[in-house]
Amino acid sequence: MSKAQTVTTTAVDPTVAAAAAQFLSPVVLGLEALTVNGKQAHWHVRGANFVGVHELLDTIVAHAADFADSAAERIVALGLPIDSRVGTVAEKIAATAVPAGFAQSDELVRAVISDLDAIIADVKAAVDGLDAVDLTSQDVAIEIQRGLEKDRWFLVSHIAA
């Protein structure tokens, strides 16, 4: 008869896991908010740039959802839970600049850029903080930063003079 083996849920030290989750959790919540608020903007955009902005917002929403999944899965892979329920996101993330109804494309682009800037600040804090904590988690944050900055550039290009 063989003995049952106990397998830990993660190969990472629990202190390292907790520190990594502390930096990645705000990123997940911000990206979840961007997913919802970006879709709101996508549905309500109006104006001469309608098609371009409408389609770009859909792409940005898809990226935000993918990035949130990457960061959340890293936390879970470290053996910790992540609470990204709608109520938690609403409680912990600053209000969006995206209006509730129809708006001109320039207004919505500026609102989504504002939301992106808040998330990028959290991602930069994660990149900096994770440097001394967990390089694999930092790599996840760096990839998210790269993607968000590219999406921001695409949005800025719609309103730049």
Side-chain angles (χ1 to χ4, degrees):
M1 187 183 278
S2 67
K3 283 186 165 183
Q5 288 186 329
T6 303
V7 178
T8 59
T9 58
T10 181
V12 174
D13 177 284
T15 305
V16 171
Q22 177 184 354
F23 286 109
L24 289 177
S25 292
V27 172
V28 172
L29 298 179
L31 290 165
E32 288 294 319
L34 180 61
T35 300
V36 172
N37 296 323
K39 206 56 159 167
Q40 176 73 16
H42 163 84
W43 292 324
H44 292 91
V45 66
R46 294 289 186 261
N49 295 326
F50 169 77
V51 172
V53 173
H54 179 78
E55 290 176 355
L56 178 57
L57 288 170
D58 228 9
T59 299
I60 290 170
V61 165
H63 291 166
D66 288 345
F67 297 149
D69 192 52
S70 293
E73 285 181 351
R74 178 63 186 157
I75 293 168
V76 174
L78 294 172
L80 298 172
I82 177 74
D83 182 1
S84 68
R85 295 172 297 164
V86 173
T88 304
V89 172
E91 177 186 317
K92 297 193 178 206
I93 297 301
T96 182
V98 173
F102 298 112
Q104 292 297 302
S105 62
D106 287 2
E107 177 186 350
L108 285 174
V109 165
R110 284 183 178 83
V112 174
I113 290 169
S114 176
D115 288 357
L116 274 169
D117 287 346
I119 298 164
I120 290 169
D122 286 340
V123 174
K124 286 180 179 179
V127 168
D128 292 345
L130 289 167
D131 186 50
V133 175
D134 179 42
L135 295 179
T136 304
S137 296
Q138 184 191 43
D139 186 54
V140 171
I142 289 169
E143 189 60 30
I144 292 168
Q145 182 177 347
R146 183 179 300 120
L148 290 175
E149 288 175 349
K150 182 177 180 181
D151 287 343
R152 186 185 189 283
W153 165 52
F154 278 31
L155 282 170
V156 167
S157 294
H158 273 275
I159 59 173

